[in-house]
């Protein structure tokens, strides 16, 4: 492992079917005022809202609500949340939902007392809060596995006016959730399409950190184990969504896929996310689906530049037998197995099915940030070609 790094993750996790009790245990550490953040109402239907409210009431908290946080939360909604946090003088922001609620809460946490336009400051100029800036603590009750937002300092915000979807991974550790509740049974009510999107999202987070570097790196061995766990558990969970073992494995894997551990000591790729975010900015499609829709075109483009890693991926993750085959044939077989698995999940395999059209190609190309950590730094032409091949 050739890279040098500092590793610290400050998020405390409560995991398991009784883990909501962790919320009761943590609440006394914070002031009276809680900003409760949730989405379009699934938590009211499945009873999680009532259970959380009961615990907040028992802890004698004053609760202000920001509801209607949409998938792919917007810069306008961020302003609304920041105002609510400031005016209610929130001591804690409690996100109850998936990655969107969790990301949104972190963005609100840094924006509530920011005198600048938060979109410009944090998502265009990528500034970090200063040491003296106030950041409201965030906690999360997770209801969907996929993003890893429950244990990282990332927040992705969409500006529909500018047609940009941008993620800021904050380096200020105050942005990490203070604690997160991971109860696998809370994910049982997730529609199958969302479950599949989350599964592909977590898998791709691992790919983004795996497809880079030429050194022998512990992180890559961890990644291979996590990928195999996703493949095994996804097959069980898609057939039987209430299989606790599979749902708990998926939840735990999603967290470790993007809590900074497996990317340590490596440069990282993240081009599927950059392409997917551009598609998302134009279509507002489900995050995981935007990734799956561009993945095969991207990885087939990338394979010759990182052939040794793609060969290793085929053998160690997909069990491809190498005997008598060329490296390229082994690598291709691995990608073919990955495609078969993706189709079995029912994730989007092209961007047309998400509403992207040929006349959006130039705009989506311009909206794609080109990163430099992977096996090939793409040219603008190559970005457009991969998007075109994804149509
Ligand atoms: O709005 P509600 O009613 O909560 O419904 C949600 C939403 O419609 C529903 N849902 C969630 N839990 C449910 C449920 N429905 C029934 N039962 C449950 N238990 O699922 C839908 C999608 O939820 P959302 O939170 O949008 O999904 P996800 O967790 O995939 O989050 C997506 C957002 O996270 C960002 C994405 O870009 C996107 O904006 N990401 C954040 C990352 C990070 N912080 O590191 C990294 C990721 O790559 C990603 O970019
Ligand atoms: Zn993702």
């Amino acid at each position: 492992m050739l890279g040098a790094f500092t590793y610290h993750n400050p998020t405390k996790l409560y995991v398991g079917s009784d883990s909501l009790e962790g919320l009761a245990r943590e609440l006394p550490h914070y002031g009276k005022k809680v900003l409760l953040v949730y989405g379009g109402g699934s938590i009211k239907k499945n009873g999680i809202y009532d259970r959380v409210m009961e615990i907040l009431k028992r802890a004698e908290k004053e609760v202000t609500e920001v509801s209607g946080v949409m998938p792919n939360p917007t810069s306008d909604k961020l302003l609304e949340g920041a105002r609510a946090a400031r005016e209610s003088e929130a001591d804690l922001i409690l996100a109850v939902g998936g990655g969107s609620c969790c990301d949104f809460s972190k963005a609100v946490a840094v924006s509530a007392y920011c005198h600048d336009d938060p979109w410009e400051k944090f998502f265009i100029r990528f500034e970090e809060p200063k040491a003296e800036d106030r950041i409201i603590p965030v906690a999360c009750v997770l209801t969907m596995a996929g993003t890893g937002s429950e244990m990282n300092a990332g927040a992705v915000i969409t500006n529909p006016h500018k047609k940009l979807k941008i993620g800021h991974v904050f380096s200020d550790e105050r942005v990490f959730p203070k604690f997160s509740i991971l109860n696998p049974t809370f994910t049982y009510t997730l529609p199958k399409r969302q479950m599949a999107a989350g599964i592909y999202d977590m898998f791709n987070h691992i790919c983004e950190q795996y497809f880079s570097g030429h050194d022998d790196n512990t992180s890559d061995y961890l990644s291979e184990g996590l990928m195999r766990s996703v493949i095994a558990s996804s097959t069980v969970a898609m057939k039987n969504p209430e299989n606790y073992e599979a749902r708990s494995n998926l939840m735990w894997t999603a967290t470790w896929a993007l809590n900074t551990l497996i990317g340590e000591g490596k440069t990282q790729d993240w081009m599927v996310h950059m392409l997917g975010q551009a598609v998302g900015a134009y279509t507002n499609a489900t995050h995981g689906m935007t990734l799956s829709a561009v993945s095969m075109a991207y990885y087939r483009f990338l394979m010759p530049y990182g052939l040794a890693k793609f060969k290793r991926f085929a053998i160690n993750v997909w069990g491809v037998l190498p005997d008598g085959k060329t490296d390229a044939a082994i690598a291709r077989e691995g990608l073919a197995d990955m495609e078969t698995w993706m189709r079995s999940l029912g994730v989007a395999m092209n961007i047309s099915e998400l509403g992207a059209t040929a006349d959006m190609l130039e705009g989506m190309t311009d909206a794609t940030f080109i990163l430099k950590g992977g096996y090939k730094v793409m040219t603008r032409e190559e970005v457009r070609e991969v998007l075109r091949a994804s149509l």
Side-chain angles (χ1 to χ4, degrees):
M1 193 150 83
L2 302 179
F5 55 89
T6 303
Y7 181 70
H8 178 63
N9 189 312
T11 303
K12 183 173 183 179
L13 300 176
Y14 289 89
V15 184
S17 55
D18 294 326
S19 54
L20 194 56
E21 275 312 306
L23 177 60
R25 224 181 297 164
E26 291 294 328
L27 285 176
H29 302 315
Y30 300 89
K32 266 205 150 340
K33 294 172 180 160
V34 173
L35 188 75
L36 181 68
V37 168
Y38 58 96
S42 65
I43 63 164
K44 290 208 166 158
K45 285 196 206 113
N46 59 24
I48 296 172
Y49 174 86
D50 289 338
R51 291 175 66 182
V52 167
M53 281 305 267
E54 212 264 319
I55 291 171
L56 288 167
K57 218 177 280 167
R58 244 198 286 148
E60 298 178 343
K61 299 294 180 184
E62 290 167 23
V63 180
T64 302
E65 299 188 10
V66 172
S67 61
V69 175
M70 60 290 279
N72 311 321
T74 63
S75 43
D76 292 339
K77 188 73 181 172
L78 170 58
L79 293 179
E80 179 196 324
R83 197 178 324 116
R86 196 170 51 245
E87 287 173 0
S88 67
E89 298 172 356
D91 298 304
L92 175 72
I93 303 176
L94 181 62
V96 185
S100 292
C101 288
C102 198
D103 277 18
F104 174 79
S105 297
K106 289 180 241 176
V108 167
V110 295
S111 303
Y113 296 100
C114 151
H115 301 298
D116 215 333
D117 172 357
W119 167 259
E120 290 290 331
K121 182 178 169 72
F122 298 120
F123 298 94
I124 297 294
R125 300 199 301 272
F126 284 94
E127 287 177 26
E128 287 291 317
K130 297 200 178 69
E132 64 272 21
D133 290 344
R134 182 161 169 205
I135 301 176
I136 304 170
V138 170
C140 171
V141 176
L142 193 66
T143 66
M144 167 166 174
T147 65
S149 186
E150 65 276 11
M151 202 182 185
N152 70 39
V156 183
I157 296 294
T158 298
N159 185 326
H161 314 294
K162 303 250 166 78
K163 285 208 176 335
L164 287 172
K165 179 175 183 180
I166 298 180
H168 185 157
V169 180
F170 288 88
S171 48
D172 190 318
E173 71 173 50
R174 293 174 295 168
V175 184
F176 281 76
K178 298 292 174 217
F179 62 93
S180 287
I181 309 292
L182 273 57
N183 183 336
T185 68
F186 287 0
T187 66
Y188 285 175
T189 55
L190 201 61
K192 264 208 172 155
R193 191 179 151 81
Q194 289 294 343
M195 192 210 303
I199 288 168
Y200 189 71
D201 188 24
M202 66 180 87
F203 187 84
N204 189 258
H205 292 160
I206 308 169
C207 293
E208 300 275 32
Q209 297 162 91
Y210 180 75
F211 288 115
S212 60
H214 299 280
D215 55 334
D216 185 44
N217 192 310
T218 299
S219 297
D220 290 335
Y221 296 88
L222 292 171
S223 290
E224 287 164 355
L226 290 174
M227 286 193 270
R228 284 161 54 185
S229 175
V230 176
I231 296 161
S233 293
S234 64
T235 310
V236 176
M238 289 303 286
K239 279 203 199 92
N240 179 7
E242 300 208 0
N243 183 301
Y244 184 86
E245 187 175 69
R247 294 312 283 266
S248 59
N249 280 335
L250 288 171
M251 203 170 213
W252 190 230
T253 305
T255 302
W256 285 92
L258 197 51
N259 68 359
T260 74
L261 176 82
I262 61 167
E264 298 299 2
K266 299 194 64 173
T267 62
Q268 302 174 24
D269 187 1
W270 291 104
M271 277 313 297
V272 168
H273 272 67
M274 295 304 104
L275 292 157
Q277 281 176 200
V279 173
Y282 274 75
T283 61
N284 197 28
T286 300
H287 171 66
M289 297 296 179
T290 63
L291 307 179
S292 59
V294 299
S295 281
M296 292 320 300
Y298 177 68
Y299 287 127
R300 289 194 168 118
F301 156 81
L302 187 67
M303 192 194 90
Y305 302 99
L307 186 57
K309 185 59 76 60
F310 279 88
K311 175 186 172 189
R312 177 175 162 171
F313 174 68
I315 296 169
N316 292 355
V317 177
W318 297 101
V320 172
L321 300 172
D323 294 352
K325 297 170 193 161
T326 64
D327 288 357
I330 296 164
R332 272 198 302 273
E333 205 176 316
L335 287 181
D337 285 353
M338 177 171 154
E339 181 172 351
T340 304
W341 170 70
M342 290 167 72
R343 288 188 187 280
S344 78
L345 292 177
V347 291
M349 298 305 290
N350 60 67
I351 60 177
S352 306
E353 53 182 294
L354 302 176
T357 50
D359 62 313
M360 295 177 186
L361 270 183
E362 292 303 323
M364 290 190 300
T365 303
D366 287 336
T368 303
F369 290 78
I370 295 174
L371 302 179
K372 299 192 171 125
Y375 288 119
K376 169 77 173 77
V377 181
M378 295 178 93
T379 63
R380 186 185 184 281
E381 272 309 291
E382 288 165 342
V383 168
R384 197 163 57 85
E385 219 14 65
V386 167
L387 286 169
R388 200 198 51 72
S390 305
L391 269 173

